[in-house]
Amino acid sequence: MYIINGLSLIILLFTTQAWGDASLILNGSVSFDAGDYGASPNQTFVSSPVVAPLFSVSTWDRNATDDAPYIMITGQYGSGFGPLIFRSDDLSLVYANTTWIESLNLDVQTYDGNDYLTYWEGLNVENNYVGYVGLYDSEYNLKYNITSEGLHVLADAHDIVITPNGTALLDIYDQVSPRDTTLVGGRVDDELMDAVFQERDIDTGNVIFTWRLSDYYSLNETMVSYEDYGMRPGGGGFDFGHINAVSKTADGNYLASFRHLCAVLFINGSDGNIIWNLGGRRNNFTDLSDGRATDFCYQHDARFANEARTEVTLFDNAHMSTDANRTDDRDCSRGLHLELDYGNMTARVLHEYYHPDRIVAAAMGGLQTLGNGNKLIAWGFQPTITEHTAQGDVVLDVQLGPFNQVGTAPQVYRAKKVNWTGSPTWGPSIAGTPQGTGRGVYMSWNGATEFTEWAVLADNSTDNLSSWDRVVQRAARAGFETFVGLETSPRYVRAAALDADGHVLGSTDAVDMNTGDTVQVNGSVTQTTQPSSTTTQPSSTTTTTGGGSPEPTESEGVARGKRSAGVGMMVTGLGFAVCFNGL
C-alpha cells in the first residue's frame, strides 16, 4: 500500500507559474520493472548539465522516517560516475558530480573538527578497483587525497573510515605474485589478490598499521572456488577473501568483513591476531537463532552497533545470484542486527530486515543505523533503497530502476542519510525559453543546501540588474531546478538565491529573453528588498555569481555534459555501466 504524508510534488507561488523537477512516480514499481522508463530512469535539466535519477516511491511514511536532511549515493548518470546528494524531504537532487571514470562510497565524515564529503575515485584494472579517497570541504574543494602506501596497488573502493584519532582506514586488494595456489586447484607460480587493510595518519601520511588476510587464513578456508575467482577474464589473482568493510574500536582493535569468507573478524590492533570469527568456516559462536545468526554469506558493511560492542549490523547478500520473489526468507538478502554474548560465545538475531519484494542482491549493499534507530538499507545490485524502523516496518521504499537487470539498471553500493552543508564557490545558473507559452526562466544551484527561495530580477538593460527594485517575482525552491513563467518581461532576466532569512547567497548572470543567450552582468545582487535604516544585508554574507561564469574545474565538482534546450524535464533511458561481479 502506498503511504505518503505531506509531500508536495509541484509548488505554485502567488500568480507566478513556478514548478520544479519531474514528479516522483508513485506506486510505479510495476512500470519501472517493465522498463517503461528505460533501464536507468533519469531526468535532465535546462539550467544545468547534470543528470539525476527518477525515483519510483512505493512506501513513504514521513512521520516515521529519520529526520536527517540528505540522502547520499554514488552512481552513473550523465558522463560518468560520482556522488549524488538528494533532499530527504522530497528526494530532489541537491548535488551531482558524475564526471569520474569510477567512483564509489559517498559519505560525510569528520576530520579535525570539520565535516567532509568522502568518496573513492579511480579505475578498475584487472578486476581490481585502484585509486584515491578524497576529502572535500563544504565548498566542494579537495582538501586531502589518500591512498595506500608500500603495497603493490592503490586503495580499493569498498570502504573508507575516518577515525576519531585523525587516521584513515583503507582496504586494498593487494596483487601478490608469484604465489602457490595449488591448494585450491591453481598453479605454483600463480597470483593472489590478497585482502589487506591499512591505517594511515591523514596529516602526516604515516602508516599506523597494515594487516593482510593471507598471514592468518589459508586459501582453502574461502567460500568461493578457484574456478570462479582465480581464472577470471582480465586476471588480477585469486580473490579468496574480498574485504569490504573495516572499522576501529576505541581500544584499538579492528572489525573487518570478508565477503568470500562469509565471515566477520575481530582483530587485535597490537599483534594482528584474530580475537574471534563470526560466521564462515572458523565460526567461534554458538547460534541461538536456528542458524540465522551465523549463516549470513557474501555480506557487506559489518559494523558494531553499540559502544559495548555486543551488537553487530551487516547486509547479508545470502547468494551470488540475483533472483526476485524468493518464497523462503533464507534465500533472500536481508539487513541483519545481531547480539553477541562473549561470556558464553553465543550469537542471536535481534532483527532481520527484508525488502517488501523479497529480493536477492548478488553483490554490493549496505546498512546504516540512523539517529532515531531506523535502518537505511541499500540493496546493491537491486536498484532500491529502503528505510525500516528498528522493529522492521518499512517506512520508505524507493526504486531507481528495474529489478534483476544487472549491468543495465542502476546499482546502489551504499546509501547514507546524513547532515551536510554545501556552500559552493561557483554561483547559481539560469537559462531561458524566450518563445511561446512556455516563456520563462529555469534556475538551479548545484551543491547549494542553504537557499530556499529565488528572486527574479528583470530590466531592459544589464547596467542596473543588481538592484533590489528590479525584482519582479519570487518563487520557493521547487526541486533541483525551478521554473518561473514570464509571459511578458523586460529583455534581460537574472535571479538571486535567498536563504530562509531573505539574505542573498548568490546570483546568476542574465539571460536575454529575446534570444535565450546568457549574458554576463557586472556585479552581484546583494539585496532583494528595499533597504531601511534598521535592516541591511549582513556584511558577513558571502555571495557568488554564476550564470556566465567560466567552465568549472574538476575540483569544483560541477558535472559536465550537454545542455538540454527548450524543455524543462526529460525522462529518458540511460544505460548503466556494468560493475564487476563480486563487489
Side-chain angles (χ1 to χ4, degrees):
M1 178 179 177
Y2 176 74
I3 304 171
I4 189 164
N5 295 324
L7 177 66
S8 175
L9 301 180
I10 299 177
I11 300 175
L12 300 177
L13 265 191
F14 310 123
T15 59
T16 303
Q17 181 189 20
W19 67 76
D21 307 345
S23 299
L24 303 174
I25 298 169
L26 309 180
N27 243 355
S29 62
V30 174
S31 58
F32 252 48
D33 286 338
D36 293 350
Y37 295 88
S40 182
N42 63 83
Q43 57 180 314
T44 59
F45 305 95
V46 180
S47 60
S48 172
V50 305
V51 181
L54 186 67
F55 294 116
S56 170
V57 180
S58 298
T59 300
W60 195 347
D61 184 349
R62 299 183 70 197
N63 294 322
T65 55
D66 182 82
D67 61 2
Y70 300 104
I71 296 174
M72 298 183 168
I73 63 172
T74 50
Q76 185 191 26
Y77 290 91
S79 59
F81 289 86
L84 297 158
I85 303 175
F86 310 91
R87 283 175 52 144
S88 62
D89 62 352
D90 62 5
L91 298 180
S92 65
L93 182 71
V94 173
Y95 175 63
N97 177 18
T98 53
T99 59
W100 304 104
I101 297 174
E102 298 278 2
S103 181
L104 212 64
N105 215 358
L106 178 64
D107 201 353
V108 174
Q109 301 190 68
T110 301
Y111 170 65
D112 198 25
N114 298 306
D115 286 340
Y116 292 91
L117 285 184
T118 61
Y119 60 92
W120 175 93
E121 62 85 13
L123 301 171
N124 193 309
V125 180
E126 294 185 337
N127 296 301
N128 193 356
Y129 283 105
V130 290
Y132 296 83
V133 173
L135 276 66
Y136 295 80
D137 65 15
S138 62
E139 296 182 341
Y140 301 97
N141 296 313
L142 178 63
K143 305 302 290 186
Y144 301 94
N145 206 22
I146 310 166
T147 193
S148 57
E149 175 69 26
L151 300 172
H152 297 92
V153 297
L154 301 178
D156 174 69
H158 284 79
D159 208 12
I160 167 64
V161 173
I162 308 301
T163 75
N165 300 327
T167 63
L169 290 174
L170 310 169
D171 58 65
I172 306 99
Y173 288 28
D174 200 23
Q175 294 175 240
V176 180
S177 61
R179 178 63 187 255
D180 186 345
T181 62
T182 56
L183 188 63
V184 290
R187 305 187 312 271
V188 174
D189 59 346
D190 210 346
E191 184 176 26
L192 181 69
M193 187 179 283
D194 207 355
V196 177
F197 68 83
Q198 187 174 80
E199 182 177 8
R200 299 193 67 186
D201 186 285
I202 296 174
D203 185 41
T204 67
N206 293 337
V207 175
I208 308 299
F209 190 79
T210 302
W211 190 93
R212 67 175 57 245
L213 182 62
S214 64
D215 290 340
Y216 300 90
Y217 258 73
S218 174
L219 299 188
N220 64 357
E221 294 180 283
T222 184
M223 293 290 194
V224 298
S225 70
Y226 180 83
E227 181 180 1
D228 289 336
Y229 287 93
M231 302 172 63
R232 292 176 294 175
F238 179 43
D239 182 11
F240 85 110
H242 203 96
I243 186 172
N244 56 31
V246 60
S247 53
K248 191 175 184 180
T249 63
D251 55 359
N253 298 321
Y254 302 92
L255 187 75
S257 169
F258 297 87
R259 170 175 165 85
H260 289 176
L261 301 182
C262 298
V264 177
L265 278 53
F266 192 41
I267 298 163
N268 190 300
S270 298
D271 58 20
N273 288 326
I274 298 171
I275 300 172
W276 49 252
N277 304 262
L278 176 65
R281 299 192 188 278
R282 287 198 200 174
N283 176 50
N284 298 125
F285 291 85
T286 299
D287 195 319
L288 302 182
S289 298
D290 191 28
R292 297 298 281 154
T294 58
D295 68 351
F296 58 84
C297 208
Y298 313 120
Q299 77 289 338
H300 286 77
D301 209 11
R303 311 288 176 187
F304 282 121
N306 62 345
E307 291 185 5
R309 301 192 301 279
T310 57
E311 297 178 16
V312 171
T313 59
L314 57 88
F315 180 77
D316 175 18
N317 295 81
H319 286 277
M320 286 279 202
S321 63
T322 297
D323 293 308
N325 301 320
R326 299 290 183 118
T327 57
D328 188 339
D329 281 351
R330 287 181 179 270
D331 292 325
C332 299
S333 299
R334 58 178 173 161
L336 188 58
H337 189 175
L338 303 174
E339 183 181 58
L340 307 180
D341 181 338
Y342 300 121
N344 296 306
M345 290 304 290
T346 60
R348 71 180 183 97
V349 173
L350 290 179
H351 296 287
E352 296 173 295
Y353 305 96
Y354 290 96
H355 192 277
D357 293 312
R358 291 305 195 261
I359 57 179
V360 178
M364 300 188 180
L367 184 153
Q368 179 193 14
T369 300
L370 303 175
N372 69 349
N374 285 4
K375 311 297 181 185
L376 187 72
I377 300 179
W379 294 88
F381 270 18
Q382 301 284 17
T384 179
I385 301 167
T386 55
E387 184 175 337
H388 306 245
T389 64
Q391 292 71 36
D393 296 330
V394 177
V395 294
L396 178 66
D397 181 3
V398 177
Q399 195 170 334
L400 289 75
F403 287 142
N404 305 315
Q405 294 192 19
V406 177
T408 57
Q411 298 160 354
V412 190
Y413 175 63
R414 285 179 185 165
K416 299 289 185 178
K417 206 169 188 182
V418 296
N419 295 302
W420 174 247
T421 300
S423 304
T425 56
W426 57 88
S429 300
I430 191 170
T433 52
Q435 304 298 328
T437 57
R439 188 177 190 274
V441 290
Y442 299 83
M443 304 160 292
S444 63
W445 196 356
N446 190 25
T449 61
E450 301 307 293
F451 80 95
T452 61
E453 184 183 16
W454 293 102
V456 180
L457 298 82
D459 198 26
N460 285 318
S461 169
T462 61
D463 294 340
N464 197 29
L465 203 53
S466 300
S467 176
W468 64 269
D469 57 4
R470 296 302 186 267
V471 174
V472 295
Q473 300 288 355
R474 295 177 183 270
R477 178 192 183 276
F480 179 79
E481 182 172 79
T482 302
F483 174 82
V484 172
L486 299 169
E487 293 184 4
T488 60
S489 73
R491 178 174 179 177
Y492 298 102
V493 178
R494 74 185 305 192
L498 315 179
D499 67 14
D501 296 321
H503 301 147
V504 177
L505 301 180
S507 52
T508 68
D509 281 321
V511 60
D512 186 332
M513 296 303 292
N514 288 347
T515 66
D517 295 334
T518 301
V519 180
Q520 290 191 356
V521 181
N522 293 326
S524 301
V525 179
T526 59
Q527 187 126 3
T528 60
T529 57
Q530 183 174 5
S532 68
S533 59
T534 58
T535 304
T536 59
Q537 184 76 17
S539 59
S540 61
T541 300
T542 301
T543 60
T544 55
T545 302
S549 58
E551 178 72 10
T553 65
E554 285 189 4
S555 63
E556 288 175 327
V558 175
R560 296 175 176 80
K562 185 177 180 180
R563 290 181 182 271
S564 304
V567 295
M569 290 78 67
M570 292 192 299
V571 179
T572 58
L574 177 69
F576 202 90
V578 176
C579 290
F580 284 83
N581 187 29
L583 185 66

